[in-house]
Amino acid sequence: MSVPHKVGTVKSKQATNVNTQPKAPVAKVVKAAGKKKDEEEATDTAEGEEWMPGKTLVKPSDQLDLTEEELNEEITRVLTANNPNAPQNVVRYGFKEGCYKPIIFVDQMAIHFELEGNLVHKESDEGRRLMAKQAERDDGKGAEKLDNVAKAGDKERKLTNQFNFNERASQTLNNPPRDISCQTEPPPRANFSATANQWEIYDFYVEELKRREKSKEKQEGQVLNKEEDKSKKKMIQAETQSDDITQLAHAAKIIERMVNQNIFDEVAQDFMYFEDAADEFRGEKGTLLPLWKLQYDKAKGLSVTALCWNPKYSDLFAVGLGSYEFTQEERGMLLFYTLKNSSYPEFIFNTTSGVMCVDIHAQLSYLVAVGLHDGCVAVYNLKKKSDQPIYNSTASSGKHRGAVMQVKWQKDDLDSNHNFISVSTDGRVVSWTLVKHELVFTDIIKLPATDKVPDDLKDVIATAGTSLDFHKQKDYHFLVATEAGKIHKGSKYYSSKFLETYDAHFMTVSRVRWNPFHPNVFISCGWDWMVKIWDQTIKSPIFTFELKTSVTDVAWAPYSSTIFAAITNDGKVHVFDLSINKYEALCQQKVVSKKTRLLHIEFNPVNPIIIVGDDRGHVISLKLSPNLRKKPKEKKGQELPKGPEVEIAKMEQLLSSLR
Amino acid sequence: MISGILTLHLLMFPHLELNIMAETVDGKKDEADYKRLHSFPLIRHTDMAEEMRVETMELCVTACEKFASNNESAAKMIKESMDKKFGNSWHVVIGEGFGFEITHEVKNLLYMFFGGSLAVCVWKCS
């Protein structure tokens, strides 16, 4: 309930004094409130006296006790606007009077609160200046905004608080500019000069036409080539796709060889280092140490029909597999083995008919000539991956009518075409030349018919040739051996008849070979159990050896003119050295089991080993013991002359002793 | 004077004249023959890359056939096309009888015959 405050005069009683006093405990306030009620009620007693309950005045203990008169006394209080803190007795020195004068008018203003504002009136100078500045800043904005800016100008200026944002600038170090220039090389130039005349043009056209005609002729031959190219391209594409596998193949090959060498480690050691010490005590005799036995399981049923060492790689040799019987199924193989990997052949070529003879070119050791049982000759290129021969003689190009018994490479002819010569059971000695894409044949000579054949049938019944060998020095001389037991010496330049004929054996001559050193000596062996050594100038043999059964092959040793080895049907290898023992073999050793016939033998040109092929398709390598490799003993003080002359001299000595 | 001498010569060797006439008749037949046979485009010398060579040869044949009578226009056509295709700057000579010695940028020369009697030489040298 509001108590109206009367400004000016307020009836004062003791109670009110109590009210103005600052001490106002709650109880007293209540009492005061109660007493104010009393006041009001006192003025309005006339109206509200009846309902008010009895009132009791409670006096505080420190209240002044005043008399009634004093209580009713009216005291006027005046509120003035004077500053109570303002000095009322300010005195100032007046220089006029020379004395201090009191100043009546004292500033009564008391500043309770002061706040400096930053509002500037629009119309004032400063305001106008600020507005002008703002207008400059907001030139780009619309005119509408100017008004807003003007209105809110003060506000915006307030936002960019100069105390929070500071502008600072600095200049980084700039690298000084440099000039770099470069002159590229101009594209290369060349000079060219010519004359353009009517006759020049005409000549050139004529030449071109001629060239085109020639190429048309060749196109027929080239059609095959193009097909090969296409197939090669496909192969190349396939190869590039399977690059990983081919790399793996190379690694696998190396591993295969290592594994093989590990398995046959003893054999390899024997091959390199073993020299039979017992030979010293054996007198003249020697032995053959079996090394590797090489076989290929797909070659079962085939016999080894040819062996040939590779002239370039002394561990690589070719094995021709076929069959000597006519009733056997017609298939054949050409395998290449290396002594480094005796478990699997390096190259395998399947042929349509049995292989009868193999020869590897002396210089280009990747060219292999093969003679087949059906009379074809083929040339393989080992560098090419294909299974097919690069040349093949067909029925039209003069192939033999009988099995080809021997092929021999010759030196390149005048046109530097490779060529080889073959002899076969149809009695023809034919030279084959590798021209571009085909084999061109030339008959060299026809073997003369035997005496038994009646004259009118001589042209029809052929004398089968069984072996062929060319002289080492004069390579136009060759020897041909026949089934009839005769050996004919012929020359490439005489095609009508032979130079000499030797009556060698009673039965088929299986092999004839020139001595590698002595120019006049050759050896032959036949099914009549004989091995005969001849001097070409003498009609009868110089040496004759009888081995107990038919001799299938004989070979001279490449390191000595007096050593040779022969193999017989009973599986024995006989090694002879004429300079040591003229009558007996130094070694007669059985190298295969019973019932296996040995068919071919070859000496390795470099190492002292021989390979022997049997009729089961196996090839056995044997090492010659030291006694079999003897060179003449050195005499004290004298240097031993080496070389082919020595060998020839050795042989000559032998021969002269017999004459 | 000169023409007088010429006529004198012809009168002195009438048999030769007849022979010459006969020869020329046959000669024209031969000419026609070999022109037919020899009209294919034949490259005499070039060191261009395969693609460029083929393209240039085709262009030359087209131009020469189009402007069979006007070598200059044919040359102009060839030169402008070559400039656009293979860059500045190309030079073209077309004719039936001329000798030349030129310096060209390596792998940018084509010298060919066409139409039995026309020789075209195209080279680049900037």
Side-chain angles (χ1 to χ4, degrees):
Chain A
M1 77 182 196
S2 60
V3 179
H5 289 277
K6 289 175 185 173
V7 182
T9 57
V10 175
K11 273 193 179 173
S12 60
K13 285 179 182 175
Q14 276 187 335
T16 53
N17 279 341
V18 172
N19 279 344
T20 55
Q21 280 173 7
K23 290 182 192 173
V26 177
K28 278 189 181 172
V29 169
V30 171
K31 285 175 193 167
K35 279 174 188 167
K36 275 184 187 170
K37 268 190 203 168
D38 290 345
E39 268 184 315
E40 286 183 295
E41 282 154 17
T43 53
D44 296 334
T45 44
E47 296 161 12
E49 206 173 304
E50 293 94 21
W51 60 274
M52 283 298 290
K55 44 194 176 187
T56 51
L57 279 167
V58 180
K59 270 191 186 173
S61 54
D62 54 351
Q63 199 177 64
L64 283 170
D65 283 331
L66 295 172
T67 59
E68 282 287 326
E69 296 162 2
E70 282 174 356
L71 278 175
N72 289 330
E73 191 183 329
E74 280 195 11
I75 302 171
T76 48
R77 302 191 92 226
V78 179
L79 295 175
T80 59
N82 284 345
N83 185 1
N85 294 334
Q88 286 157 349
N89 48 354
V90 177
V91 177
R92 283 249 163 86
Y93 185 77
F95 285 93
K96 227 177 171 183
E97 291 90 15
C99 65
Y100 286 95
K101 274 182 9 188
I103 294 177
I104 314 160
F105 299 107
V106 177
D107 190 5
Q108 299 294 320
M109 191 176 84
I111 297 174
H112 296 286
F113 176 70
E114 189 176 345
L115 171 70
E116 275 189 31
N118 50 9
L119 292 174
V120 174
H121 196 267
K122 261 201 308 192
E123 305 302 315
S124 72
D125 281 336
E126 206 185 324
R128 282 202 207 104
R129 248 187 287 135
L130 283 170
M131 273 171 63
K133 264 192 199 170
Q134 197 115 55
E136 277 175 29
R137 255 190 276 141
D138 300 340
D139 247 346
K141 296 180 186 170
E144 312 167 22
K145 288 206 179 173
L146 268 172
D147 295 333
N148 292 338
V149 163
K151 288 173 196 170
D154 295 335
K155 282 187 195 168
E156 273 189 50
R157 263 177 262 139
K158 272 186 191 170
L159 285 171
T160 55
N161 188 348
Q162 283 179 349
F163 297 104
N164 284 351
F165 298 100
N166 239 343
E167 266 188 35
R168 282 208 185 246
S170 78
Q171 173 75 35
T172 55
L173 182 65
N174 283 344
N175 290 330
R178 291 204 197 272
D179 286 321
I180 296 182
S181 58
C182 170
Q183 172 84 24
T184 56
E185 271 186 39
R189 295 183 177 187
N191 284 353
F192 176 67
S193 60
T195 316
N197 283 327
Q198 290 304 299
W199 61 83
E200 267 229 15
I201 298 176
Y202 178 74
D203 286 343
F204 199 63
Y205 268 109
V206 165
E207 257 181 58
E208 176 69 20
L209 284 173
K210 273 191 205 157
R211 238 181 288 150
R212 288 196 182 180
E213 273 176 35
K214 269 191 198 170
S215 66
K216 270 182 199 167
E217 285 172 9
K218 287 179 197 171
Q219 254 173 29
E220 289 152 28
Q222 270 180 1
V223 164
L224 289 164
N225 215 18
K226 275 182 191 167
E227 284 174 3
E228 271 180 42
D229 282 339
K230 279 181 197 166
S231 60
K232 269 178 211 168
K233 275 182 194 167
K234 282 180 196 164
M235 276 177 65
I236 290 165
Q237 281 171 8
E239 274 172 21
T240 48
Q241 282 164 14
S242 61
D243 251 339
D244 303 328
I245 299 177
T246 50
Q247 283 177 353
L248 193 62
H250 181 66
K253 190 166 176 161
I254 294 174
I255 290 178
E256 188 189 19
R257 286 205 177 179
M258 291 318 301
V259 168
N260 270 306
Q261 284 188 10
N262 283 345
I263 294 172
F264 298 110
D265 182 48
E266 294 161 0
V267 178
Q269 299 287 340
D270 286 343
F271 160 73
M272 271 315 290
Y273 303 116
F274 182 73
E275 304 293 347
D276 199 348
D279 263 13
E280 284 176 54
F281 309 109
R282 239 179 264 152
E284 298 166 338
K285 308 271 179 191
T287 51
L288 296 166
L289 178 70
L291 297 172
W292 293 280
K293 184 168 178 180
L294 303 115
Q295 60 204 36
Y296 182 47
D297 52 357
K298 288 203 184 137
K300 268 186 192 164
L302 294 172
S303 334
V304 171
T305 51
L307 290 171
C308 186
W309 284 99
N310 190 307
K312 190 168 173 199
Y313 300 106
S314 64
D315 60 296
L316 186 67
F317 61 92
V319 179
L321 292 156
S323 162
Y324 283 115
E325 278 110 74
F326 289 102
T327 50
Q328 291 275 350
E329 56 184 61
E330 280 286 314
R331 70 182 180 99
M333 276 193 189
L334 176 66
L335 301 176
F336 279 82
Y337 281 100
T338 171
L339 297 175
K340 293 177 189 168
N341 181 355
S342 55
S343 55
Y344 201 80
E346 292 290 305
F347 298 98
I348 303 167
F349 297 98
N350 283 300
T351 58
T352 45
S353 123
V355 173
M356 297 303 286
C357 52
V358 174
D359 193 30
I360 302 179
H361 198 279
Q363 281 83 40
L364 305 169
S365 57
Y366 53 87
L367 281 180
V368 182
V370 163
L372 301 175
H373 196 269
D374 60 3
C376 284
V377 290
V379 178
Y380 286 87
N381 185 334
L382 293 180
K383 280 191 184 172
K384 303 220 167 127
K385 308 277 180 200
S386 80
D387 199 31
Q388 295 306 310
I390 49 172
Y391 296 96
N392 210 337
S393 75
T394 55
S396 59
S397 58
K399 74 165 192 176
H400 287 283
R401 285 181 288 278
V404 180
M405 296 306 288
Q406 189 90 51
V407 282
K408 284 277 179 205
W409 281 102
Q410 301 296 299
K411 279 192 227 159
D412 287 357
D413 64 11
L414 295 165
D415 298 326
S416 32
N417 290 325
H418 308 305
N419 60 341
F420 61 93
I421 292 188
S422 67
V423 67
S424 96
T425 50
D426 68 353
R428 281 162 59 218
V429 179
V430 176
S431 155
W432 303 85
T433 316
L434 274 61
V435 176
K436 303 270 165 144
H437 308 282
E438 46 182 29
L439 288 172
V440 176
F441 82 98
T442 351
D443 261 352
I444 302 244
I445 198 162
K446 195 160 158 42
L447 289 170
T450 50
D451 301 324
K452 293 178 199 167
V453 177
D455 281 337
D456 44 345
L457 290 173
K458 266 193 183 158
D459 290 331
V460 179
I461 297 179
T463 330
T466 52
S467 182
L468 179 72
D469 195 25
F470 284 84
H471 197 273
K472 299 288 179 287
Q473 283 87 34
K474 300 177 213 157
D475 65 338
Y476 46 86
H477 278 325
F478 62 89
L479 290 169
V480 172
T482 65
E483 248 180 18
K486 290 207 204 297
I487 298 176
H488 303 279
K489 182 175 82 172
S491 168
K492 280 206 294 195
Y493 303 124
Y494 288 111
S495 60
S496 53
K497 66 172 206 165
F498 287 101
L499 301 173
E500 281 278 3
T501 305
Y502 307 90
D503 286 323
H505 296 267
F506 303 114
M507 291 173 73
T508 311
V509 184
S510 47
R511 181 66 98 168
V512 65
R513 279 199 222 237
W514 285 103
N515 187 300
F517 296 103
H518 201 283
N520 284 347
V521 175
F522 63 91
I523 192 171
S524 70
C525 66
W527 291 0
D528 62 349
W529 304 4
M530 305 286 200
V531 175
K532 298 189 180 180
I533 297 178
W534 307 75
D535 183 324
Q536 68 169 335
T537 52
I538 304 172
K539 278 275 187 177
S540 60
I542 310 173
F543 290 98
T544 311
F545 300 98
E546 198 210 312
L547 310 169
K548 303 288 190 309
T549 165
S550 56
V551 187
T552 46
D553 203 356
V554 71
W556 287 105
Y559 48 84
S560 166
S561 63
T562 51
I563 299 180
F564 64 91
I567 49 172
T568 56
N569 247 353
D570 58 356
K572 277 196 187 164
V573 179
H574 308 257
V575 183
F576 290 81
D577 187 345
L578 298 172
S579 57
I580 296 176
N581 189 329
K582 282 186 278 202
Y583 304 104
E584 265 194 340
L586 295 186
C587 167
Q588 287 180 356
Q589 189 170 327
K590 198 163 156 77
V591 294
V592 283
S593 58
K594 283 187 210 174
K595 294 187 186 173
T596 321
R597 294 163 53 212
L598 289 175
L599 293 172
H600 283 276
I601 184 171
E602 287 287 338
F603 275 85
N604 186 315
V606 174
N607 307 65
I609 59 171
I610 53 172
I611 44 170
V612 187
D614 64 6
D615 66 347
R616 291 224 178 129
H618 301 162
V619 176
I620 302 143
S621 57
L622 302 147
K623 184 165 182 177
L624 299 160
S625 69
N627 268 352
L628 302 174
R629 302 186 250 137
K630 266 201 183 147
K631 308 246 164 118
K633 278 194 183 155
E634 292 177 26
K635 287 190 184 164
K636 284 182 195 172
Q638 268 185 1
E639 264 188 42
L640 192 65
K642 297 200 195 263
E645 296 85 30
V646 180
E647 304 295 331
I648 297 172
K650 239 193 336 181
M651 202 59 186
E652 211 34 66
Q653 224 180 352
L654 265 175
L655 295 171
S656 57
S657 69
L658 289 167
R659 284 190 201 126
Chain B
M1 268 297 285
I2 298 162
S3 57
I5 293 166
L6 277 171
T7 47
L8 196 66
H9 277 235
L10 282 169
L11 284 169
M12 281 178 65
F13 306 104
H15 57 284
L16 273 173
E17 194 189 317
L18 280 170
N19 283 340
I20 291 162
M21 283 301 292
E23 275 170 9
T24 45
V25 168
D26 290 329
K28 275 179 190 163
K29 282 190 188 162
D30 289 332
E31 258 185 54
D33 272 341
Y34 92 72
K35 275 220 167 130
R36 246 187 310 117
L37 286 168
H38 300 191
S39 53
F40 58 90
L42 179 60
I43 292 180
R44 171 75 170 80
H45 174 86
T46 180
D47 61 355
M48 283 181 174
E50 173 76 36
E51 274 182 37
M52 194 193 215
R53 181 182 350 133
V54 166
E55 221 181 313
T56 312
M57 200 169 85
E58 302 276 331
L59 172 67
C60 290
V61 168
T62 316
C64 290
E65 281 175 351
K66 188 171 174 190
F67 298 104
S69 54
N70 188 349
N71 286 345
E72 188 188 334
S73 316
K76 185 176 173 123
M77 175 178 162
I78 296 172
K79 183 254 183 338
E80 279 167 359
S81 312
M82 295 298 280
D83 276 351
K84 253 189 290 171
K85 272 190 231 169
F86 302 111
N88 296 353
S89 47
W90 286 83
H91 313 270
V92 180
V93 179
I94 303 183
E96 290 180 13
F98 57 93
F100 59 93
E101 161 109 30
I102 54 160
T103 306
H104 66 95
E105 275 179 33
V106 171
K107 304 206 113 189
N108 287 289
L109 167 72
L110 177 75
Y111 177 38
M112 60 178 275
F113 298 144
F114 174 69
S117 63
L118 215 54
V120 181
C121 186
V122 183
W123 74 96
K124 178 176 184 186
C125 188
S126 56

